[in-house]
């Protein structure tokens, strides 16, 4: 018998929970796509996005998912044979590197495994060897959604500056945007990529690239930019449709505008606080579970854990069964063990993820943790007691 009635709760790390207000904002007829309100809405979205990223640079909007803006950023700045270094602490770091490789870039991956952040000293050491300054860009994922690690971007900038290397710093903030504190200009980031379906609470299909003056100048000098990814017409359009290289994604713009209104009402600082608190509630539950049994957070040091998603290891238990139980019996959808597809982790089956990004409050999260706790009991997976209590103690500190 299944109790999966009521509203289904999707806590995968994206697409995140879509607020009713955002869904309702799309219930409109087709607009004029050449002039009027849509132009103003788009301008305001770009302005707000830049502000949320903490940049005075430019923002280009793409009808795309996150993979698209990986390619957009690379294709504006680099050409075949150009050397870049990708810092990998999870699947998404490798994904961005692979995109560059297929584009013909000379990609070198510095590998930091699945359980730890990128080490800034290793970057310094590598850049020191590059006395001819062949390396043109450094790619890093702020919060890698597979491992749930959060990398220390200011320390990476410092590592680049310490050796006086001119390479651009490109950061993937797709999972962390509006979840983890991010200050593009203050942190010395040259290019930021993000997408709408995670902390930005909008159905998938819009993605953004923010870039500063240094990156803009390098892109202008690039002779082989692709017509679709070229960010110049998108940021300096002569006609409105150049913002999208074609038809505007009309209803996603309505949705994104509404989500940004919700973000403005709550405030950036409050959003970061809420995500930090909800993340700590998840970690407190995992600590309680871990007191008697296999469950533990993949990233040991809380300093390097994302506030948007938590990856949980349960070697050697089959967490696919737990995810199935939560989904089929209770209507809770959890994330799978992405990036752990090796026998050591039962081909990913001993790993699961809880997404805690975007439109989420304590009853949703505490309900999810209690449901997981029930699943562990129903399936006889060993676990310590008191996880929900421990999470409630954390959420009690809201003030
Ligand atoms: C989700 C995600 C991506 C990929 O985004 P898609 O929209 O699925 O293409 C890339 N990087 C990170 C860190 C992500 O979380």
């Amino acid at each position: 018998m299944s109790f999966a009635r009521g509203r289904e709760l999707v806590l995968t790390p994206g697409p995140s929970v879509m607020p009713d207000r955002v869904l309702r904002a799309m219930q409109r007829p087709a607009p004029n796509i050449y002039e009027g309100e849509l132009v103003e809405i788009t301008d305001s979205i770009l302005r707000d996005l830049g502000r949320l990223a903490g940049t005075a640079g430019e923002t280009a909007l793409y009808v795309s998912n996150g993979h698209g803006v990986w390619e957009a950023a690379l294709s504006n700045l680099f050409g075949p044979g150009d050397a870049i270094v990708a810092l990998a602490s999870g699947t998404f770091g490798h994904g961005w590197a692979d995109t560059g490789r297929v584009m013909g870039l000379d990609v070198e991956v510095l590998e930091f495994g699945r359980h730890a952040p990128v080490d800034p000293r290793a970057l310094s050491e590598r850049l020191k060897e590059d006395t001819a300054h062949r390396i043109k860009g450094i790619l890093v994922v702020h919060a890698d959604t597979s491992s749930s690690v959060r990398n220390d971007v200011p320390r990476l900038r410092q590592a680049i500056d310490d050796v006086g290397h001119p390479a651009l710093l490109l950061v993937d903030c797709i999972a962390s945007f509006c979840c983890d504190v991010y200050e593009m200009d203050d942190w010395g980031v040259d290019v930021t990529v993000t997408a709408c379906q995670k902390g930005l609470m909008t159905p998938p299909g819009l993605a953004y690239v923010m870039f500063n003056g240094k990156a803009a100048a390098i892109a202008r000098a690039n002779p082989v930019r692709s017509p679709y990814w070229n960010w110049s017409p998108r940021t300096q359009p002569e006609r409105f449709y150049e913002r999208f290289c074609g038809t505007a994604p009309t209803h996603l713009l309505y949705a994104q505008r509404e989500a940004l209104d919700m973000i403005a009402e709550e405030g950036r600082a409050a959003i970061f606080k809420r995500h930090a608190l909800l993340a700590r509630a998840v970690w407190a539950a995992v600590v309680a579970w871990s007191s008697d049994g296999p469950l533990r957070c993949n990233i040991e040091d809380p300093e390097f854990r994302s506030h948007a998603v938590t990856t949980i290891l349960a070697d050697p238990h089959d967490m696919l069964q737990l995810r199935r139980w939560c989904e089929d019996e209770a209507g809770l959808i959890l994330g799978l063990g992405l990036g752990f597809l090796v026998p050591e982790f039962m081909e990913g089956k001993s790993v699961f993820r809880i997404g805690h990004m975007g439109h989420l409050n304590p009853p949703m999260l505490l309900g999810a943790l209690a449901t997981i706790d029930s699943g562990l009991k129903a399936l006889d997976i060993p676990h310590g007691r008191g996880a929900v209590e421990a999470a409630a103690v954390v959420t009690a500190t809201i003030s």
Side-chain angles (χ1 to χ4, degrees), residues 48-60:
D48 287 2
L49 259 291
R51 219 174 277 148
L52 287 169
T55 184
E58 295 182 85
T59 302

Side-chain angles (χ1 to χ4, degrees), residues 329-349:
E329 309 302 329
L332 169 67
I333 300 173
L334 297 167
L336 44 78
L338 190 67
F340 290 82
L341 276 174
V342 287
E344 188 190 344
F345 300 101
M346 300 170 67
E347 304 300 333
K349 280 196 283 191

Side-chain angles (χ1 to χ4, degrees), residues 268-306:
R268 196 164 167 260
I271 289 171
F272 291 146
K273 258 192 163 159
R274 177 168 55 83
H275 279 83
L277 184 101
L278 294 177
R280 281 200 292 116
V282 172
W283 306 339
V286 181
V287 167
W289 285 326
S290 73
S291 66
D292 184 13
L295 274 73
R296 62 193 166 85
C297 285
N298 179 50
I299 302 299
E300 219 164 291
D301 185 347
E303 199 48 37
F304 295 107
R305 288 183 196 154
S306 157

Side-chain angles (χ1 to χ4, degrees), residues 159-187:
I160 299 168
D161 292 347
D162 283 350
V163 295
H165 200 288
L168 292 169
L169 178 59
L170 286 73
V171 181
D172 168 343
C173 286
I174 296 169
S176 60
F177 206 80
C178 279
C179 303
D180 284 291
V181 173
Y182 185 73
E183 298 289 352
M184 175 169 167
D185 289 355
D186 285 356
W187 292 1

